[in-house]
Amino acid sequence: MSGLKIIADANMRGVEAVFQPYGEVHLVEGRSLRRQDLQGADVLLVRSVTSVDSELLRGTGVRFVGTATSGLEHVDGHYLAEQGIRFAHARGSNANAVVEYDLAAIAACDDYLERLLDGGVLGIVGQGHVGAALARCARALGIRIRCHDPWLESVEDQADLAAVLAADVICLHPELTRRKPHPSYHLLNADRLAQVSGDSLLINTSRGAVVDNAALCERLQQGRGPACVLDVWEHEPHLQPGLLEQVRLGTPHIAGHSLDAKLEGTRMLGAALATAFDLAPPGVPREAGGAPTLSAPQELAGSALLRWLLSARYDIGADDAALRHAVTGPGTAATPAAVAAAFDDLRRHYPQRRELRGSPVCAPSAPEAWASALGYQPVAAESTR
């Protein structure tokens, strides 16, 4: 044991198994973490609900900060660098989980899946880990795409933002930033929302403030579309119940919350800590185990079979129903405090969810390209018995 004092968000899966070999692990509630909780700590491990800055860290002695997230807007990287505090993130760990969420949302909403398969266009804003992974998957499925990321010099299928917003389905995956010349804060403001067709589908799994939620709510209340799927909300954990009522599907910031992604994020931080302090590499969390085989109904083919595959591991409708019940259901108090508590509670007690990627799947009539695009392992019918 290395004797490090490690403060970790209690909602990080596998954190004790990965980090106990390095020292004493203390679990805390990330949203309520305060400076006094870090006295004597060497290592701080957080998620997106904890703001990591001088107000939290000043005078604590923390030498290493790790965030089990892809987004970094909650971390003051400049302060960490100035103080010589080593920093690690888990970018890419949940990319596939978010891609599968996007695809499940498309499959669950009207005929958007068929429209894309029949030549419609998928627009993707942002080509980081998630956006790029979604683009690769869509291309492999034969879907036409347009991508926009002004921060990158070269992007395959590059288009300007107006062209992307004209797509049949629009998925938002930019990093949230106010940096010029390409800030993404309120990237979709009232004017840009007016460019989005009422016949399209808009999915936001990046950060809530990428879309002006007040402007979106007003537009939807006026019946001017588009159909919306929101996993992220401006001012989380507070959200507008009125906006939730207007969107097609709403979930409590859980797009990347597969068990596979959570464990990979924890492992990545363990590896970064080991490198920073010249320690032995971490073990692999064994919490997940192999996912059970999925067997597609024999009568399904074409888009119906693909829709089944995209929803077989993840029922997005169940998460939508849970959020609506918690926020606006019978007997609930829709006060800001109650809404915030319900939102956090759903995230804290999120049920185990596995990814389609890596899963054994028996779907004899599925094209071979689907297995490559979605990452599942085809198995013969006899091997499922």
Side-chain angles (χ1 to χ4, degrees), residues 103-115 117 300-314 356 370 374:
L103 295 175
I106 294 169
C109 293
D110 302 334
D111 65 344
Y112 287 103
L113 178 61
E114 284 75 12
R115 286 167 60 174
L117 295 174
L300 295 183
S303 63
L305 176 56
L306 182 57
R307 175 174 282 105
W308 182 88
L309 284 170
L310 297 178
S311 59
R313 276 283 180 251
Y314 176 48
L356 178 61
W370 289 4
L374 300 173

Side-chain angles (χ1 to χ4, degrees), residues 356-382:
L356 178 61
R357 184 181 65 175
S359 294
V361 174
C362 178
S365 62
E368 292 182 5
W370 289 4
S372 176
L374 300 173
Y376 64 79
Q377 304 298 318
V379 297
E382 56 268 20

Side-chain angles (χ1 to χ4, degrees), residues 128-152:
H129 289 285
V130 179
L134 178 59
R136 289 192 297 270
C137 181
R139 291 187 193 101
L141 290 172
I143 296 172
R144 297 170 57 207
I145 63 173
R146 297 174 189 157
C147 301
H148 178 74
D149 194 325
W151 292 102
L152 300 179

Side-chain angles (χ1 to χ4, degrees), residues 88-108:
H89 55 73
R91 280 186 163 171
S93 62
N94 68 351
N96 187 71
V98 179
V99 168
E100 291 189 4
Y101 178 102
D102 284 342
L103 295 175
I106 294 169

Side-chain angles (χ1 to χ4, degrees), residues 217-246:
C217 188
E218 180 179 357
R219 188 167 185 81
L220 295 179
Q221 288 173 339
Q222 293 171 350
R224 293 188 290 171
C228 289
V229 177
L230 298 183
D231 179 57
V232 290
W233 311 78
E234 200 167 5
H235 312 303
E236 290 178 19
H238 302 280
L239 59 84
Q240 301 178 46
L243 179 56
L244 176 60
E245 291 174 357
Q246 295 295 322

Side-chain angles (χ1 to χ4, degrees), residues 11-34:
N11 290 310
M12 287 178 59
R13 295 297 290 266
V15 67
E16 291 177 290
V18 170
F19 285 91
Q20 276 181 344
Y22 304 132
E24 188 177 347
V25 179
H26 300 264
L27 302 181
V28 298
E29 288 299 322
R31 200 179 293 281
S32 60
L33 183 66
R34 298 295 180 266

Side-chain angles (χ1 to χ4, degrees), residues 73 98 172-176 203-208 210 232 253:
E73 70 282 350
V98 179
L172 302 178
H173 294 295
E175 178 182 358
L176 178 60
I203 304 172
N204 188 14
T205 59
S206 56
R207 289 294 185 264
V210 169
V232 290
H253 199 157

